[in-house]
Amino acid sequence: MNNPLAATISFDQNALGALPAGWRSGVTGRGSPLWAVEADATAPSKPNVLKQSGSGTFPWCVRTDASLPDGYVEVKFKPISGREDQAGGVVWRFKDGDNYYVARANALEDNVSLYYTQNGGRKTIKYVDAPVPRNTWHTLRAEFSGNKIRVILDGKLYIELEDDHIDGSGAVGVWTKADSVTLFDDFTYGAAAR
């Protein structure tokens, strides 16, 4: 864990009811997201998870000491509920709450998608149909190098393309949409080997 450019975070050492140490949360757009570490008996690595239970246009929570130009970000997530949305996502090259990439899987729509957010506006790069049952743990991974991006859900590659809207280094983290109540665990990231 000494290398800030590679880590796995299980949230098990974090205090309950608060943001994990070294993380920052907010929302792209408007709303009142509520991110907190909670105990959950279903956690892939027990006992704790990071839960988003508030609502907002696009709630995000990022690791402030990780800044990667190229590499990967992966998380286990469990969509619990939401009338408008039931999404879990990962962000990378996060400059601020208005500029970043996001890959997300949605249990209401049964799809995986890739977006870039620029100046607060989210733009769709690609959607792909994919099974995303709710109340089930899934693994979502994004790999990024230069303009190449790959999005993998539960071990299957769904999106592979080139996009150059956001370059350079940026933070990594997790993301939800609207009223999604989502659990996250085993957040992993690493810089690309040089």
Side-chain angles (χ1 to χ4, degrees):
M1 284 282 214
N2 292 337
N3 179 0
L5 297 184
T8 297
I9 296 123
S10 66
F11 307 110
D12 297 331
Q13 311 306 315
N14 296 105
L16 296 179
L19 270 181
W23 290 68
R24 186 169 62 92
S25 68
V27 61
T28 304
R30 289 189 229 176
S32 302
L34 180 59
W35 295 90
V37 175
E38 291 189 5
D40 186 86
T42 72
S45 59
K46 292 174 180 40
N48 296 345
V49 298
L50 176 62
K51 180 178 184 181
Q52 200 298 116
S53 58
S55 67
T57 312
F58 303 118
W60 49 261
C61 191
V62 297
R63 179 127 175 124
T64 54
D65 67 351
S67 185
L68 311 177
D70 298 314
Y72 66 90
V73 58
E74 178 179 298
V75 75
K76 293 186 173 115
F77 76 97
K78 181 179 180 180
I80 301 293
S81 64
R83 291 175 58 146
E84 188 180 333
D85 228 308
Q86 295 177 18
V90 290
V91 299
W92 66 97
R93 293 185 184 157
F94 182 97
K95 316 295 187 186
D96 55 43
D98 290 332
N99 297 279
Y100 55 86
Y101 277 111
V102 58
R104 73 101 174 100
N106 189 320
L108 276 187
E109 299 174 4
D110 273 329
N111 61 24
V112 173
S113 54
L114 173 64
Y115 307 96
Y116 69 95
T117 300
Q118 211 162 34
N119 300 322
R122 187 186 70 162
K123 310 290 186 200
T124 302
I125 300 171
K126 187 164 188 178
Y127 276 99
V128 179
D129 290 340
V132 190
R134 76 174 175 170
N135 289 314
T136 301
W137 285 99
H138 302 279
T139 302
L140 182 64
R141 179 182 176 97
E143 299 171 352
F144 46 99
S145 179
N147 65 355
K148 294 177 176 55
I149 300 172
R150 293 163 41 99
V151 180
I152 300 149
L153 176 68
D154 294 333
K156 181 176 178 184
L157 176 65
Y158 281 95
I159 297 173
E160 184 169 24
L161 50 72
E162 295 183 358
D163 185 89
D164 56 9
H165 282 94
I166 302 187
D167 59 8
S169 292
V172 291
V174 293
W175 179 99
T176 67
K177 181 184 171 189
D179 61 348
S180 301
V181 176
T182 308
L183 308 182
F184 296 91
D185 200 4
D186 297 341
F187 179 79
T188 304
Y189 63 89
R194 293 276 174 216

